Amino acid sequence: MENKDRSYTEKEFENLFKQSGIDVIAKDYCREELREWMDSLRDNTLKEFNTLREAAWHNLLRFSHPNIYAEQRKNGQSHEWSKAFAEAAESYDGRPDKLYMCIQESFHSVDESERDKELSIFFDSFSDDPILNRISKQYFYEAADDWLTLSQKYTEEYHRCIGEGKSDIYADAYADAYTSDYTEKYCSAFAEIKENAIKNGLNEDDSDYFAQFCAGNYGNETLFTGIRDFNKYFKEPWEKEIYYNLILKEEQENGGTITDSFRKAMREELGLP
């Protein structure tokens, strides 16, 4: 009489695996998952299957997602990452927040020292667009709930700027501001000012701060009233020239007349010759 609780023999498993069409890279994973399903189902009443091993194999295919595991492994992910991703995929129904959860599960399943490497592997193969891949990884680290929407929005604006002949620095700054729902006026000013600041030697953080201050006053039309604070924080002549030119630009946009006396007064306020 057949033992309904016995496992597959190695030969039976090999034949079953071959018939399944699952990539060979997932063979050890399937063997491991099959053992786990055998153990978890051992005390359950079998209704639809004649043997425990058949029920375990069915659950492996249905819930362990060996093809997803194989895809992750072929992309270069580790066994630990791929196993966690395949198991988390059961609840993924195409929604970005659920995909975020799958990545989170995989991210925390690997050793802390390996996490950034594994995440880079994942996002390097996320799409055919390296810009989308790069920014998606950044938004993942920032734990943005709408990370995929933001990534796509950023990527679209980045490529638009590049297509218009803008630099990588400008395109990155504009797209970054755009994803934060700033106005076009602010985004353009921020990107141009940050580009100039970096060209003048400011690092990423300092150029961000300078551009945010100037573009913020420009966007809010508070450049003139903001001169006192500007002079507290920014001392370089090139910084003052950028702010001075923004004042002139704002005055023109508002229909004002730029006289020599106006120019002289603004330069004096900024401590410019």
Side-chain angles (χ1 to χ4, degrees), residues 68-250:
I68 292 177
Y69 172 90
E71 181 182 12
Q72 293 295 304
R73 291 287 281 139
K74 286 192 288 185
N75 286 340
Q77 307 289 168
S78 67
H79 166 70
E80 291 76 16
W81 172 287
S82 303
K83 176 180 170 66
F85 194 91
E87 291 175 351
E90 175 59 26
S91 61
Y92 173 51
D93 55 6
R95 289 167 46 188
D97 58 327
K98 293 295 184 68
L99 176 57
Y100 181 85
M101 185 197 73
C102 291
I103 303 170
Q104 278 276 23
E105 291 288 336
S106 303
F107 182 76
H108 291 290
S109 72
V110 298
D111 188 87
E112 189 171 355
S113 63
E114 298 293 313
R115 288 175 182 172
D116 188 71
K117 182 183 78 172
E118 292 280 353
L119 199 64
S120 294
I121 292 170
F122 179 83
F123 280 114
D124 283 348
S125 59
F126 184 61
S127 76
D128 294 329
D129 189 332
I131 302 302
L132 177 60
N133 296 347
R134 172 181 62 79
I135 200 64
S136 294
K137 180 182 176 183
Q138 177 181 318
Y139 285 141
F140 173 85
Y141 269 130
E142 292 175 4
D145 291 338
D146 50 351
W147 67 279
L148 186 54
T149 300
L150 289 175
S151 299
Q152 292 167 337
K153 188 176 180 180
Y154 171 98
T155 303
E156 181 179 345
E157 288 303 309
Y158 177 92
H159 286 307
R160 184 186 62 76
C161 291
I162 294 296
E164 293 176 354
K166 303 297 186 181
S167 69
D168 173 73
I169 294 172
Y170 181 101
D172 173 68
Y174 186 99
D176 185 50
Y178 187 79
T179 57
S180 298
D181 293 326
Y182 285 108
T183 63
E184 195 281 332
K185 178 180 179 179
Y186 175 93
C187 293
S188 298
F190 175 79
E192 184 176 346
I193 295 165
K194 182 172 181 179
E195 182 179 38
N196 285 334
I198 288 176
K199 287 179 178 178
N200 278 282
L202 289 190
N203 61 30
E204 181 71 20
D205 289 341
D206 289 342
S207 62
D208 252 346
Y209 179 68
F210 177 63
Q212 286 168 2
F213 185 97
C214 296
N217 283 359
Y218 173 61
N220 295 325
E221 298 187 358
T222 55
L223 285 168
F224 180 73
T225 57
I227 288 179
R228 179 176 294 181
D229 283 340
F230 178 87
N231 286 334
K232 286 181 184 177
Y233 304 123
F234 307 108
K235 308 296 183 182
E236 296 295 326
W238 65 264
E239 293 172 326
K240 295 176 180 291
E241 289 289 350
I242 287 175
Y243 201 82
Y244 167 73
N245 286 321
L246 273 180
I247 291 175
L248 299 187
K249 184 177 181 180
E250 182 180 80

Side-chain angles (χ1 to χ4, degrees), residues 246-260:
L246 273 180
I247 291 175
L248 299 187
K249 184 177 181 180
E250 182 180 80
E251 187 69 11
Q252 285 181 322
E253 290 172 348
N254 290 336
T257 300
I258 301 178
T259 62
D260 287 343

Side-chain angles (χ1 to χ4, degrees), residues 43-75:
D43 296 328
N44 294 356
T45 301
L46 301 178
K47 295 180 180 179
E48 302 177 21
F49 304 95
N50 293 323
T51 65
L52 178 63
R53 58 186 177 276
E54 290 173 339
W57 181 254
H58 171 270
N59 280 15
L60 182 156
L61 297 178
R62 173 65 181 83
F63 301 112
S64 297
H65 302 285
N67 288 322
I68 292 177
Y69 172 90
E71 181 182 12
Q72 293 295 304
R73 291 287 281 139
K74 286 192 288 185
N75 286 340

Side-chain angles (χ1 to χ4, degrees), residues 1-47:
M1 185 176 180
E2 183 183 13
N3 180 1
K4 293 186 177 183
D5 289 344
R6 73 170 178 83
S7 303
Y8 287 109
T9 65
E10 185 59 26
K11 183 177 181 180
E12 288 172 336
F13 171 78
E14 290 287 345
N15 289 335
L16 197 62
F17 183 82
K18 185 176 181 180
Q19 292 168 12
S20 73
I22 300 168
D23 193 284
V24 68
I25 200 170
K27 183 186 285 188
D28 288 340
Y29 170 71
C30 287
R31 187 180 281 111
E32 175 186 326
E33 289 292 297
L34 186 61
R35 283 196 297 266
E36 292 182 8
W37 280 115
M38 288 285 292
D39 290 339
S40 66
L41 294 173
R42 195 167 297 280
D43 296 328
N44 294 356
T45 301
L46 301 178
K47 295 180 180 179

